[in-house]
Amino acid sequence: MKTINTCGKLPYSPLIPAIKALCGANKGDKLEIIMDDAGAFSDLKEYLSEVKIGFREIYDGEQMTVQFTVQ
């Protein structure tokens, strides 16, 4: 499983490294994206739902994680 951690202060949206990893992944790859930005996390979940990619949500304090397999 490839982990993309977008936590912390980034000079841009945490969605950029998340979507970059998704676009660069091969079919069947497992991704785990960790965020601490609730708005970006919600947007990522909405996108995954729209493209019909099932995902698992994990909440750990300030961190939110989504795990999924690229289809």
Side-chain angles (χ1 to χ4, degrees):
M1 181 174 296
K2 182 175 181 181
T3 300
I4 298 88
N5 188 337
T6 68
C7 294
K9 297 291 181 188
L10 298 175
Y12 45 79
S13 171
L15 288 173
I16 293 173
I19 296 301
K20 183 178 175 184
L22 178 59
C23 291
N26 296 313
K27 185 176 181 177
D29 286 352
K30 295 181 186 306
L31 296 179
E32 173 180 66
I33 300 174
I34 304 169
M35 297 183 157
D36 59 358
D37 181 315
F41 187 70
S42 179
D43 290 344
L44 178 60
K45 293 188 309 177
E46 185 177 338
Y47 172 76
L48 293 173
S49 294
E50 285 177 10
V51 296
K52 300 189 183 347
I53 295 176
F55 57 89
R56 177 179 178 212
E57 301 172 59
I58 302 168
Y59 296 91
D60 183 18
E62 296 290 317
Q63 289 187 347
M64 299 152 282
T65 302
V66 63
Q67 296 175 337
F68 58 93
T69 302
V70 177
Q71 300 180 10

